[in-house]
Amino acid sequence: MRREKRRRLSGLFLLLLAALIILRLHSPDSFSFTMWTRHRGLQAENGQFLLEGEPLRILGGSMHYFRVPAAYWRDRMLKMKACGLNTLTTYVPWNLHEPQRGKFDFSGDLDLGDFLATAADVGLWVILRPGPYICAEWDLGGLPSWLLRDKDMELRTTYKGFAQATEAYFDDLIPRVLKHQYSRGGAIIAVQVENEYGSYAKDANYMEFIKTALVRRGIVELLLTSDNKDGISSGSMEGVLATINFQKIEPILFSYLESIQGNKPVMVMEYWTGWFDHWGGDHHVFDVDQMISTVADVLTKGASINLYMFHGGTNFGFMAGALHFHEYRSDVTSYDYDAPLTEAGDYTSKYYKLREIFSKHHVEPLLPPPVQLSKASYGGVQLKRSISLWDALHLTGEPYKSEVPVNMENLPVNDGNGQSYGYTLYETVIYGGGKFQTKGHVRDRAQVFVSSQPVGFVDHKKQELDIPEVPGYRKLRILVENCGRVNYGPRMNDQRKGLVGDVFLRDVPLKNFRIYSLDLNATFLSSLNKLQWTDGNDEKTGPVFFQGALQVPYGPQDTYLSMKGWRKGVVFVNGRNLGRYWEIGPQETLYLPGTWLWPGVNEITIFEEQEAGSSLYSVEAPMLGRTQYVD
């Protein structure tokens, strides 16, 4: 009896062993994560990284889940894995996850937990960069705009208002990621403390505050900081590994890292594979051979590396940020970045050359790259109807009345959180005409109307225009667009939008405004369908809404909308905001993910500020504009 029992147990053991061998052969990455013995997480000792006491060279790439539809996460990760990467890095955008104070959203394309679980399943380690500030060419560097309702707000400091909001945010965020830490069987091997704080450095106590906030809530994996060469000295801290960001290698950087933290491993947290674009500029590209040469040099020196970006994705909606040093420049919708994977996840020459380099750092041959997702051209969009903004204005509700202008963030809307994005309309009554002056109080761009007739634009540079002289009282309308809050630099606290102070006519400040919040949210868009539209697209002059139909056969594929001939505005497809377009370029197409389309009729809604184009087409290739090489 006992012999029979032993024989059965022996048979079960052999079956289990065979199953594990099959699993190992068919899914080596999943096997390594599920069967990995977890005793010692990532350590930075004796000039190298160690995981379970074994040397680990981090070959990483950045991909932001909030810039890529969730349906495509696995595809992009498998492509990273096939290129030879072993680590993925991502930021966490506070402004998307807490759009209203105390109300959190981690659903759908914002399901961070699912993103981390997918990375583990694919076999990628994760370096998490939770902020609260992330930069990332993202509106206000990822910070929620409702913070700016406090007139005394000091962002990225231990100022009470910011510190309390950060603590409340971490109270919700950090428990969501704890189970994804390496020590608990997850993919997170390291967590970044804030982001490039050395370039800001307004509060000597701030970084310790963030570190403590992470550790106190249960973060146990390796902590690190990330700075460019000008910020390392101010951004590093005791007991936290310092890493470096650059595009051009300077030998002194590695020796400087050693001088401040001794015999620790060198990690390039951001090696910039390309660059981002701004409206009115060119499409930036970075020479592939120069990039490969630097990556090879970094690896030869024994350092670890993370490619920023490996896959850039898209600044969907109104989320693109801006820079403002000598002048204000807003970023385009595409975040293609000239990265190894394009905006739509396609392979580039950079990808294949990187794969060749990284393959030399693997014992086993790399898996073949996944099949590239196909693209489609669906032809013309039938623009069936149009309606003027003035005929739809009542959908925003009763306007807010104020003697003086009120900035977007401090409007009494959105359950007391103010307006975050989009447009704000200011109306008042004037007599006669004359010189209209903004004195720098328009943020960022405004179209000015007398009654419904456009008279010109004002922005950061152009701050005056002439109102035609007509005897009598008329309605002055100022339609202000938030073109993106600065995401980097010393102007972070000065990012309130709309009219941020008085505007003048004949040097007299205008008073008694009616203010409309036009954030163009889902509720507003759906209510448009209840209105009496004009058939066809005869209503050419903006601001005007157009609606049309994009016919898609069975099996929707990725495509692009060509905005050639249109002036400036925003496009929505099936209620999703694809982002801004602008005739000044460089970007001429908007990326439309196939996963956001359905077979049959797809509703296209366009808000055109100035003048409609004669047609709208779905094309199968992007047009990102004239190129300029990054030096």
Side-chain angles (χ1 to χ4, degrees):
M1 192 72 175
R2 290 180 179 175
R3 187 178 299 169
E4 177 65 21
K5 188 175 182 179
R6 282 198 300 270
R7 187 161 52 246
R8 289 180 180 176
L9 289 174
S10 178
L12 287 172
F13 175 77
L14 290 174
L15 285 173
L16 177 61
L17 182 60
L20 290 174
I21 291 172
I22 292 172
L23 178 63
R24 178 69 177 95
L25 291 173
H26 288 272
S27 184
D29 298 322
S30 295
F31 178 92
S32 63
F33 271 70
T34 56
M35 299 303 293
W36 195 290
T37 302
R38 307 293 176 104
H39 295 298
R40 291 192 68 195
L42 190 66
Q43 307 290 316
E45 299 176 356
N46 300 321
Q48 62 182 341
F49 288 113
L50 301 173
L51 190 61
E52 295 300 336
E54 296 295 325
L56 174 69
R57 173 80 68 93
I58 295 174
L59 304 175
S62 289
M63 164 190 163
H64 303 150
Y65 60 98
F66 47 93
R67 282 181 159 127
V68 181
Y72 294 159
W73 290 345
R74 182 176 293 271
D75 171 77
R76 308 305 195 253
M77 292 180 191
L78 289 171
K79 289 171 177 173
M80 297 175 82
K81 188 75 174 175
C83 192
L85 302 186
N86 58 23
T87 303
L88 176 155
T89 68
T90 186
Y91 286 125
V92 180
W94 182 2
N95 52 10
L96 288 188
H97 288 302
E98 194 180 3
Q100 297 181 16
R101 188 187 290 266
K103 295 182 179 180
F104 297 91
D105 183 5
F106 285 85
S107 62
D109 291 337
L110 296 178
D111 192 340
L112 175 59
D114 186 49
F115 181 80
L116 296 172
T118 303
D121 190 50
V122 168
L124 290 169
W125 302 119
V126 172
I127 296 177
L128 190 69
R129 311 173 80 180
Y133 164 82
I134 63 172
C135 185
E137 288 71 63
W138 196 251
D139 188 89
L140 201 59
L143 302 177
S145 64
W146 46 259
L147 289 168
L148 298 175
R149 291 175 64 82
D150 180 351
K151 64 180 178 61
D152 299 318
M153 177 57 64
E154 291 290 334
L155 301 174
R156 304 179 71 192
T157 70
T158 53
Y159 169 72
K160 184 178 179 180
F162 185 77
Q164 288 180 341
T166 299
E167 295 270 24
Y169 169 54
F170 277 0
D171 280 344
D172 191 272
L173 169 66
I174 301 305
R176 295 176 185 271
V177 303
L178 291 181
K179 69 177 181 180
H180 296 284
Q181 293 186 99
Y182 175 86
S183 59
R184 296 196 184 182
I188 298 174
I189 57 173
V191 176
Q192 184 172 299
V193 181
E194 234 264 359
N195 186 60
E196 292 186 318
Y197 194 70
S199 300
Y200 197 68
K202 287 198 171 185
D203 186 335
N205 299 316
Y206 176 69
M207 288 293 280
E208 189 63 41
F209 159 66
I210 298 297
K211 174 188 173 183
T212 301
L214 294 171
V215 173
R216 184 161 51 84
R217 288 169 175 81
I219 295 296
V220 298
E221 307 304 335
L222 178 73
L223 296 178
L224 47 82
T225 60
S226 169
D227 286 283
N228 59 34
K229 65 178 182 178
D230 298 324
I232 297 176
S233 58
S234 300
S236 59
M237 57 192 308
E238 187 71 27
V240 177
L241 181 72
T243 67
I244 184 70
N245 304 336
F246 61 76
Q247 188 166 64
K248 183 178 180 180
I249 192 169
E250 298 179 39
I252 191 175
L253 292 177
F254 288 8
S255 58
Y256 182 65
L257 273 175
E258 184 177 356
S259 71
I260 64 173
Q261 61 186 6
N263 190 25
K264 296 289 185 181
V266 173
M267 171 77 185
V268 182
M269 176 54 70
E270 292 185 14
Y271 174 66
W272 303 319
T273 62
W275 204 244
F276 56 93
D277 301 335
H278 63 267
W279 291 114
D282 294 328
H283 172 51
H284 292 96
V285 296
F286 183 52
D287 182 72
V288 58
D289 292 326
Q290 188 175 348
M291 184 201 78
I292 292 299
S293 175
T294 302
V295 171
D297 196 9
V298 169
L299 296 177
T300 299
K301 294 180 184 300
S304 288
I305 192 169
N306 176 65
L307 304 171
Y308 187 101
M309 297 292 297
F310 189 83
H311 172 45
T314 309
N315 298 315
F316 292 115
F318 296 115
M319 301 314 300
L323 286 180
H324 195 165
F325 289 100
H326 302 298
E327 62 178 315
Y328 174 85
R329 293 181 174 183
S330 58
D331 297 335
V332 303
T333 299
S334 171
Y335 201 61
D336 177 87
Y337 208 84
D338 193 36
L341 290 179
T342 69
E343 179 178 12
D346 294 341
Y347 300 116
T348 67
S349 59
K350 288 182 178 179
Y351 179 93
Y352 289 111
K353 290 191 176 185
L354 284 169
R355 189 172 188 270
E356 184 179 347
I357 288 181
F358 290 151
S359 66
K360 300 173 184 177
H361 294 269
H362 290 267
V363 176
E364 300 292 332
L366 298 178
L367 295 172
V371 175
Q372 189 163 284
L373 299 179
S374 57
K375 308 296 180 292
S377 173
Y378 294 118
V381 175
Q382 298 176 344
L383 295 173
K384 296 182 177 181
R385 56 185 192 168
S386 60
I387 189 170
S388 168
L389 169 64
W390 315 126
D391 293 329
L393 198 57
H394 65 279
L395 296 178
T396 64
E398 282 296 312
Y400 175 61
K401 298 177 182 178
S402 174
E403 181 181 2
V404 297
V406 177
N407 61 281
M408 175 184 285
E409 296 79 4
N410 285 99
L411 291 175
V413 297
N414 198 23
D415 293 332
N417 289 273
Q419 183 182 345
S420 296
Y421 313 107
Y423 302 79
T424 308
L425 177 68
Y426 298 81
E427 289 185 349
T428 189
V429 174
I430 61 171
Y431 184 86
K435 185 76 70 178
F436 175 75
Q437 300 168 305
T438 69
K439 298 189 178 181
H441 292 155
V442 166
R443 306 287 175 81
D444 297 298
R445 185 175 186 269
Q447 190 172 6
V448 181
F449 305 84
V450 174
S451 296
S452 300
Q453 298 302 310
V455 294
F457 286 89
V458 286
D459 56 22
H460 286 270
K461 289 183 176 179
K462 178 177 170 55
Q463 299 185 11
E464 295 183 355
L465 57 81
D466 292 318
I467 305 294
E469 284 282 2
V470 175
Y473 291 95
R474 295 176 293 170
K475 184 183 292 185
L476 182 73
R477 287 167 158 164
I478 308 168
L479 181 62
V480 187
E481 180 191 7
N482 165 9
C483 294
R485 296 182 181 86
V486 164
N487 55 266
Y488 181 83
R491 295 177 178 262
M492 291 286 293
N493 291 315
D494 184 28
Q495 292 308 303
R496 294 167 184 86
K497 299 296 183 177
L499 293 185
V500 299
D502 287 329
V503 291
F504 302 79
L505 183 63
R506 302 186 301 272
D507 291 323
V508 176
L510 295 173
K511 301 291 184 182
N512 300 318
F513 289 90
R514 293 160 59 91
I515 307 174
Y516 298 82
S517 174
L518 283 162
D519 55 8
L520 304 186
N521 60 26
T523 301
F524 178 86
L525 286 174
S526 62
S527 63
L528 282 175
N529 292 319
K530 303 173 184 177
L531 301 181
Q532 188 67 40
W533 292 63
T534 301
D535 290 338
N537 60 340
D538 295 334
E539 185 93 46
K540 291 286 189 180
T541 304
V544 62
F545 293 94
F546 295 91
Q547 274 194 350
L550 177 66
Q551 295 285 346
V552 175
Y554 182 78
Q557 300 174 28
D558 286 1
T559 188
Y560 302 85
L561 293 182
S562 173
M563 304 309 299
K564 189 173 182 179
W566 294 74
R567 300 288 295 278
K568 189 178 189 302
V570 191
V571 178
F572 302 83
V573 177
N574 296 329
R576 291 182 180 267
N577 189 335
L578 295 190
R580 299 180 179 95
Y581 63 88
W582 197 352
E583 65 174 348
I584 65 174
Q587 180 177 357
E588 298 177 22
T589 54
L590 290 174
Y591 171 55
L592 174 50
T595 189
W596 289 357
L597 295 170
W598 47 67
V601 177
N602 293 264
E603 184 181 80
I604 309 291
T605 303
I606 304 173
F607 177 61
E608 166 61 51
E609 296 178 29
Q610 296 175 247
E611 186 176 356
S614 59
S615 60
L616 179 67
Y617 288 94
S618 160
V619 297
E620 61 183 353
M623 291 176 281
L624 298 179
R626 184 180 63 184
T627 59
Q628 173 187 336
Y629 276 88
V630 179
D631 184 1

